[in-house]
Amino acid sequence: MARDELSLLLGGPQGAGLETSATLLTTTFAYLGYGGMSDREYFSNIKGRHSYIHSRISSGGIPCALTYPVQAIGAMDAETVFTHYNDLEEGGYLIYDAATSDKQLSSIPSTEAELMERVRKEFSEWDIDGTVSSLTRHLSESRRVRIVELNYSAILTELARKFTLRGSQASRYVSSIIVGAIAGIVNLDEAAARYALERRFSGTQAIVEQNSFLISYVLDQVKSKHGSPLQLNPSQLGRDELMVASGNDVIAMAKVAGGLRYQSYYPITPAADESFLIEATERLEVDGQNYGSVVVVQTEDEIAAVNSAIGAALAGARSATATSGPGFSLMVEGLSWAGMNEVPLVITYYQRGGPSTGHPTRGSQSDLLFSLFAGHGEFPRIVLASGDHLESFYDTVEAFNLAEKYQMPVIHLVDKFLANTIMTMPVPDLSAMRIERGLIKYDAKEYKRFNLSETISPRAFVGSDVVLWHAGDEHNETGHIDEDPAIRVKMYDKRMRKLEIADLEIPPERRAVYFGPEDAEFLVIGWGYVKGVATDALRELERRGLKGSYLHLKMFAPFPSKYVRSIIEKFDREKVMAAEHNYLAQAGKIITMNTGITVERAITKYTGRPMYTNELVKGIERILGGERRVMMTYGE
Amino acid sequence: MNGNPSCNNCKQFLLHDTYDYLGICQEKGELVIVSRATCDDFEEVRKERIKKAIEEKGWVHCTSCKRPIYSLEELEEHSGDHISPEVYVDEVSREEAPCAD
C-alpha cells in the first residue's frame, strides 16, 4: 500500500559520493512533485569521516521538520550501519554493501570512541559478535528489518563491462548505487532519476549514461527481489514550479535579488557556501543580457571582511558580509565602528556550535545573546532570525531595507541546520518585494551627515559630490571628532532613538508570529529552525488530544515586547516553555529582559544535532507532566 | 602485504582513499574493481618499496587504518595492515566534501 510520507537516511564517508546521492534523490523527488527536506550532518575533518543525509519526503506537502525513525537506510559503508541501526523503524529497510558483512565495529578507525562503546555495550547485551552480518541478522530477527544486501563491487564490475570508467572519479559511480536502491524500494520513475542526473552532470554525457545504467540496473535488482514497499502516493502538492535549494543558496539568491552590490567574506563553515554561490554568479546575465554585477571579495580575515563591507556601504553599495561565530568575534570592533557611524551594514550570521572552534560543522542557537550585545559601547542594531528557507529569502531582502532605512547594522541570524538543509520550496514571490534605500542625499553644500535636526539624517555616499567625514570617535554633525559632553549626549541619543523609531514602525507581525488556536492549552516559544519542528510537533500532539501553540520569535532587536507579553500572559506559567538549541534558553532570557516575564520551563538541545519532531513531542509531554527542564539528545 | 597476488598487492595499483574495493591501475589507466584476480602485468609491491617510499617521500598510507605512516618505526606497528606506497584522491571528492573550516 502506498504511503504519504517517507523518511530516509543515507550514510557514508565524507567526500565519497554522499552529496551526489542526496542531490540526485532530492532532485528526483522534486521533479515528481514531492515535497522534501534533507539535512546534512558531517564531521569537521572534511574528508573520510562519517556523514549522513537525513531526509523526509511527502506527497501531501512540504515537510518542515525531520523525524525518526526512518523507513530506509542506504549505507555506503559499514560505519553507517553501525552508527544508525537504531534509527531504523521496525520493519524498515537496510541497504548495504555485502562486502562489509565481515567488517567489525572495532576495525573502523573513524568511529568516535564513545559511539563505539555505546554500540559495543548493546552488542554485548544482544550477544552478537560485532560484525555487520551479525547485526543485520539480529535486526532481521528481532526487529523485522528487511535486509537489502547488494554487492557494490559486482555492480561496478557490471558497469565496467559496459563502459570505460574514469578511474579518477570513482565516487561518481558509487553514489548511484544508493540512488538506484532507494529508487527501487520507492518505485521512483527512472525518467525522473535521469533528469536529476542530467542536471547534476550537465556537460558530461558519458557520466550521465553510465550512472543512468547503474541506477536502472540496481533499481531492477532491488525491485525484483524486494518489490517497492515504500512507494509514495502521487503528489498532492499541486504546484507547477518548485525550487530545490539549501538555506545558503536561498540567502545568496535573495541577496542578489535584494540589490546586493558588495559581499565580503572569509571562508567559514557554514557561511562560506553562500558567498561561493554569489561569487559564481558575480555577473548576472539572463539570455545574454547583463543585469548587473556583485563584487565579491574574499578577504584575508574577518576583520578585513567587516571593514571592507563598511567601506562599501559608505560608498553607497548595498553591502553585506557572511560569517559564523569565530568570524563574528573578529568582526566585533568593526561592528562597533559601524554603530558609531550609523552604517547600514548587513551581517549574515550563520550559527554553529561554540565556544571557540567548538563544533564547526554542527548547529546551535548559542549566539543570540552575543549577536545582541557584541560590540563595545552602546549602539543600536537590528537582530532578526529566520525560521525556514522561504522566510530567510524575504528576511534577507528585509535586512537590507532595514539597515538602510534606519542606518544601523542588521544582524541576520541563520541556523546551520537551516543553512545546510536542502528543501523543496515554492519560488519566492518577487512581486511584493521592495527595495527601500532610506533617506539619501546626492548633493549638498555644507552637508552634515549626522544632522541633529533629524534623528535619521539623509545619508550621502563617500565618493559622491558631497564632502563628508567619518571617524571612530564621537563626533559632531559634520563627522569631525568632538568630545564635548553636550554633543556626546545629543549624538548618543540620536543613535539610540533610531531603535525606538524602528520599534514603533516595524509591525509586530514582522517580529513574532503566533501559530495555533486562540484556545491553546500550552505555549512553546522558539526561533530559527525550531519553527518547523515545533509546528510539526504540535500537529502530532493535537492528534493525541493536546492543543498547543507556538510563538515564533523573528526579531530580537527591537524586541516586540508588548506583543510577546500579550501572548504569554494568556497561559498558565507552567504551560509556557522555551525550546532552543542552547543551554541557557537564551530567547527566554531576552523575553524576561524585555517583558519582565520569566519563562520557567525549557526544552534544550546542545548536542550539535537538530531537534527532531519525535523528541520534541516527548519533551513537550514531559514539561506538561511537570518537569521544568528537558534536555534532548537524539541523533548521531 | 600478504603476498597473495591481487590488484591490492600490485605495484601498478593505486587504491582509492575511501573505498577499499576501488582503485586505479596505472598500467592500464582504468578504474579497477578489486578482486582476487590479477592480470599478466601483476608485479607485487614488496616491503622494500614501502620502506623506500617512506625514506624518499616521507610517508605511505595504511588503508586499514586510513591514515599516513611517516616512519619505519611506525610501519612496524602496522603489521598485518594493508599498506600502500600511494593512494589516489578522487578528483571529484571536493564536490562531495562540504566546506568544513
Side-chain angles (χ1 to χ4, degrees), chain A residues 13 15-20 40 42 44 46-47 76 97 109 152-153 156-157 165-172 174 200 267-269 352 361, chain B residues 16-24 29-34 63-67 88-101:
Chain A
L18 193 62
E19 293 280 316
T20 296
R40 193 171 77 213
Y42 48 105
S44 59
I46 300 175
K47 201 163 185 282
M76 284 180 156
D97 185 3
Y152 291 12
S153 58
L156 291 174
T157 301
L165 304 183
R166 291 182 68 168
S168 54
Q169 298 189 359
S171 55
R172 287 244 196 269
V174 180
R200 176 69 181 90
I268 186 168
T269 305
R352 72 189 212 181
T361 60
Chain B
H16 193 277
D17 62 352
T18 304
Y19 296 112
D20 58 12
Y21 55 85
L22 293 175
I24 288 182
E30 289 174 2
L31 180 76
V32 169
I33 295 118
V34 174
T63 52
S64 302
C65 300
K66 288 188 182 170
R67 57 189 179 90
Y88 93 85
V89 176
D90 195 312
E91 72 184 31
V92 297
S93 65
R94 68 181 187 279
E95 295 173 25
E96 300 287 340
C99 173
D101 48 9

Side-chain angles (χ1 to χ4, degrees), chain A residues 155-170:
Chain A
I155 292 168
L156 291 174
T157 301
E158 184 59 28
L159 182 71
R161 240 182 242 134
K162 290 203 161 356
F163 301 95
T164 301
L165 304 183
R166 291 182 68 168
S168 54
Q169 298 189 359

Side-chain angles (χ1 to χ4, degrees), chain A residues 13-50:
Chain A
Q14 273 153 233
L18 193 62
E19 293 280 316
T20 296
S21 299
T23 303
L24 291 174
L25 277 171
T26 308
T27 307
T28 303
F29 281 118
Y31 183 81
L32 294 168
Y34 293 112
M37 73 182 284
S38 299
D39 174 46
R40 193 171 77 213
E41 290 296 326
Y42 48 105
F43 275 81
S44 59
N45 69 318
I46 300 175
K47 201 163 185 282
R49 293 199 72 175
H50 179 61

Side-chain angles (χ1 to χ4, degrees), chain A residues 45 57 61 91 321 362 370 435 455 521 524 530 547 571-572 632:
Chain A
N45 69 318
I57 314 295
T321 185
R362 309 288 180 181
F370 185 33
I435 306 288
T455 305
E521 295 154 6
V524 180
V530 171
K547 205 190 309 183
F571 295 88
D572 294 335
M632 301 194 296

Side-chain angles (χ1 to χ4, degrees), chain A residues 313-379:
Chain A
L314 290 175
R318 277 212 149 176
S319 171
T321 185
T323 191
S324 190
F328 186 75
S329 296
L330 293 174
M331 292 184 176
V332 166
E333 188 181 11
L335 178 70
S336 187
W337 198 99
M340 172 60 94
N341 284 277
E342 304 184 39
V343 180
L345 168 71
V346 170
I347 299 177
T348 314
Y349 188 158
Y350 290 90
Q351 292 186 97
R352 72 189 212 181
S356 187
T357 311
H359 254 185
T361 60
R362 309 288 180 181
S364 175
Q365 290 181 307
S366 49
D367 294 342
L368 174 60
L369 294 175
F370 185 33
S371 67
L372 283 164
F373 300 113
H376 55 287
E378 298 170 295
F379 56 90

Side-chain angles (χ1 to χ4, degrees), chain A residues 557-591:
Chain A
F559 191 77
S561 309
K562 273 198 207 121
Y563 178 69
V564 169
R565 188 186 300 118
S566 72
I567 296 291
I568 297 178
E569 282 174 345
K570 291 181 191 170
F571 295 88
D572 294 335
R573 204 55 62 86
E574 61 270 17
K575 300 279 177 70
V576 176
M577 64 204 84
E580 303 187 53
H581 294 88
N582 56 57
Y583 181 91
L584 292 173
Q586 293 186 12
K589 302 281 184 277
I590 298 301
I591 290 172

